[in-house]
Amino acid sequence: MTPIPHETTHASRTAGISALLKTAFINALIALVLFSLMVGIRTEAGSDGQLTYWTRFGDLASLVAAVFGGSILIELLRQWIGSTGTEKLVPPAVKSGMSFVGRYLAPALLIFTLLVPVIFYNQRYILDLAILVLTYVMLGWGLNVVVGLAGLLDLGYVAFYAVGAYSYALLATNFGWSFWVCLPLAGILAAFWGVLLGFPVLRLRGDYLAIVTLAFGEIIRLVIINWQELTGGPNGVSSIPRPSFFGIPLDNSDSGLAARLGIEYSPTHRIVFLFYLILALALLTNWVTIRLRRLPIGRAWEALREDEVACRALGINTTTTKLTAFATGAMFGGFAGAFFATRQGFISPESFTFQESALVLAIVVLGGMGSQLGVALAALAMIGGFELFRSLETYRMLVFGMAMVLIMIWRPRGLIGHRAPTVYLTKAQAISSDLVKEGHG
């Protein structure tokens, strides 16, 4: 074996270090350009109406230095992982432990969720946050039908959320109908609008589909703002009735639930009832989605997601498949909207902007398209994490943006990537050599 000259080794090491520093310098320069206006210069309207500004060059320098050092660290870590086998990097004992945790993670989360009102009964803030997280979990599972299972990029999902909320609010305030009567009607009306959206996009895919759904969401919002005789316009709808426990009000009256049970009344009773209500709706969404995946329509969604041309070649009616996907996802969005209206007691167009659609879509993509557990974990991280980092104020959006970029780099399919079909061969089958091009299959 011919030994490698010392000069060659030294030259290659010097070239590697120079390439590493060059990459880190370029990343730091890009960060300097991006953050110079976002962090380096702060503008604000003064008391006299004129624009005032001040500089934060120290914070800017810290961010650029962090990017420079982080680039070097990430590149070194990437080289180390690349030179180390996967089996050495993750021992078999750790792999078996991770698979064991993954198997029991969903049941453990469900049990903990059921016990949240018991554990945090006297902490109103945590209960409200849990209700908000479950609302976005339900929205994520509803959008997961359209994006994760059928592969249709929908940027206007907030439109169905708004239709459900306004349907319940208008029916309950104008006709005095109860929540349990208006809830299915809100879902049906949202599904109807989902079918209406499905017709114009039957021949669209990719970016064109995203643009049309985005426009649909904005159309619904503008209609709500301008149709003041029906929706109240920018003033919204107020005095929306609260839900009852199957006709029994959750108040301090003699006919209330607390009086009938002979217990002391507490305002927390209504919060706990709302918590279990949205939990039941979310679990219903999860159960229906899982059942639909195993039916022919669910397998048609998966075929449409993988390849629309092959889906047509198999004889699947893509028109019906797309319409059912939009209608099913819209129905769950309508249910969530009805719950949002009865929980808030007041709704306005400001609650149904494009930012909501982007947030729900980020939850689905971050969790893993098609993964029910991944969407739940992503909703917990996105919604609960925003509250956890609320003390960071200006920088929390920057922190979450960087976190999502890193996750998309290391886990491009989401936290729990799941694209396995519901029907597959459990055992490999050999194919006759007469049926294949290159010998025995």
Side-chain angles (χ1 to χ4, degrees):
M1 181 181 295
T2 304
I4 301 175
H6 178 72
E7 293 80 4
T8 305
T9 306
H10 180 73
S12 60
R13 186 178 303 169
T14 304
I17 293 176
S18 62
L20 182 64
L21 293 177
K22 180 181 178 181
T23 302
F25 178 77
I26 293 175
N27 292 337
L29 183 61
I30 295 174
L32 177 63
V33 174
L34 292 177
F35 296 148
S36 59
L37 295 179
M38 297 172 56
V39 179
I41 301 176
R42 180 75 174 179
T43 60
E44 198 172 87
S47 57
D48 54 354
Q50 295 183 354
L51 188 66
T52 60
Y53 71 94
W54 62 94
T55 59
R56 297 182 295 182
F57 292 145
D59 297 341
L60 178 62
S62 301
L63 285 174
V64 173
V67 171
F68 183 82
S71 299
I72 296 176
L73 182 62
I74 290 175
E75 189 63 28
L76 292 175
L77 183 62
R78 183 179 298 170
Q79 293 178 5
W80 177 70
I81 292 176
S83 61
T84 305
T86 307
E87 296 296 331
K88 295 180 181 180
L89 188 63
V90 182
V94 177
K95 281 189 174 182
S96 61
M98 292 174 63
S99 63
F100 177 81
V101 171
R103 190 180 303 115
Y104 295 100
L105 180 59
L109 284 176
L110 178 59
I111 294 174
F112 175 76
T113 305
L114 291 171
L115 295 177
V116 163
V118 180
I119 300 173
F120 305 103
Y121 181 79
N122 294 321
Q123 301 185 36
R124 173 69 180 272
Y125 172 76
I126 295 181
L127 291 178
D128 287 335
L129 180 59
I131 292 173
L132 183 62
V133 170
L134 287 175
T135 303
Y136 278 96
V137 168
M138 184 176 178
L139 287 172
W141 281 341
L143 184 60
N144 196 32
V145 174
V146 183
V147 178
L149 299 184
L152 304 172
L153 183 56
D154 188 357
L155 295 180
Y157 192 69
V158 72
F160 311 125
Y161 189 39
V163 168
Y166 272 89
S167 298
Y168 168 72
L170 296 176
L171 291 174
T173 54
N174 294 328
F175 299 99
W177 294 354
S178 67
F179 172 78
W180 304 105
V181 175
C182 297
L183 179 65
L185 293 178
I188 293 172
L189 290 174
F192 171 74
W193 283 101
V195 173
L196 289 183
L197 171 63
F199 276 108
V201 302
L202 291 178
R203 297 183 179 181
L204 301 177
R205 66 184 72 175
D207 299 337
Y208 303 101
L209 175 62
I211 293 173
V212 171
T213 54
L214 173 61
F216 180 78
E218 288 300 305
I219 288 172
I220 293 296
R221 188 179 66 86
L222 292 176
V223 168
I224 292 174
I225 292 175
N226 291 283
W227 200 353
Q228 299 188 17
E229 294 82 4
L230 179 65
T231 63
N235 298 325
V237 181
S238 59
S239 302
I240 302 175
R242 302 291 188 179
S244 61
F245 185 73
F246 299 101
I248 303 175
L250 299 170
D251 52 18
N252 199 17
S253 62
D254 295 335
S255 60
L257 182 63
R260 294 195 179 192
L261 295 178
I263 60 177
E264 184 180 357
Y265 170 77
S266 173
T268 311
H269 293 165
R270 184 179 63 85
I271 305 301
V272 173
F273 174 71
L274 290 174
F275 175 86
Y276 283 114
L277 176 60
I278 186 58
L279 177 61
L281 291 175
L283 292 178
L284 176 65
T285 304
N286 183 38
W287 180 77
V288 171
T289 303
I290 293 175
R291 294 291 296 176
L292 286 177
R293 286 193 63 185
R294 300 172 182 173
L295 295 177
I297 186 61
R299 296 196 290 271
W301 289 341
E302 293 176 344
L304 181 67
R305 176 191 66 192
E306 298 302 331
D307 193 333
E308 185 173 348
V309 176
C311 183
R312 291 176 181 272
L314 291 173
I316 298 175
N317 190 338
T318 56
T319 300
T320 306
T321 303
K322 288 184 179 181
L323 291 180
T324 53
F326 274 111
T328 305
M331 179 182 66
F332 294 134
F335 289 157
F339 173 81
F340 173 78
T342 191
R343 172 180 176 259
Q344 296 293 114
F346 169 79
I347 56 174
S348 64
E350 286 74 17
S351 301
F352 309 103
T353 60
F354 169 72
Q355 185 178 358
E356 294 296 318
S357 291
L359 179 59
V360 179
L361 181 62
I363 288 173
V364 174
V365 175
L366 181 63
M369 292 190 294
S371 172
Q372 301 292 93
L373 178 59
V375 170
L377 294 176
L380 179 62
M382 291 287 292
I383 308 303
F386 271 116
E387 297 299 324
L388 182 64
F389 289 95
R390 183 171 290 274
S391 58
L392 293 177
E393 296 179 355
T394 308
Y395 300 102
R396 62 174 181 158
M397 292 299 295
L398 185 61
V399 170
F400 271 90
M402 294 176 62
M404 289 194 65
V405 169
L406 292 177
I407 290 178
M408 289 298 102
I409 291 175
W410 297 104
R411 299 287 297 177
R413 288 192 175 183
L415 295 175
I416 304 178
H418 181 76
R419 294 178 67 94
T422 54
V423 177
Y424 52 90
L425 295 175
T426 56
K427 295 182 180 179
Q429 295 184 358
I431 303 175
S432 174
S433 59
D434 299 333
L435 303 177
V436 296
K437 186 178 181 180
E438 298 179 358
H440 187 70

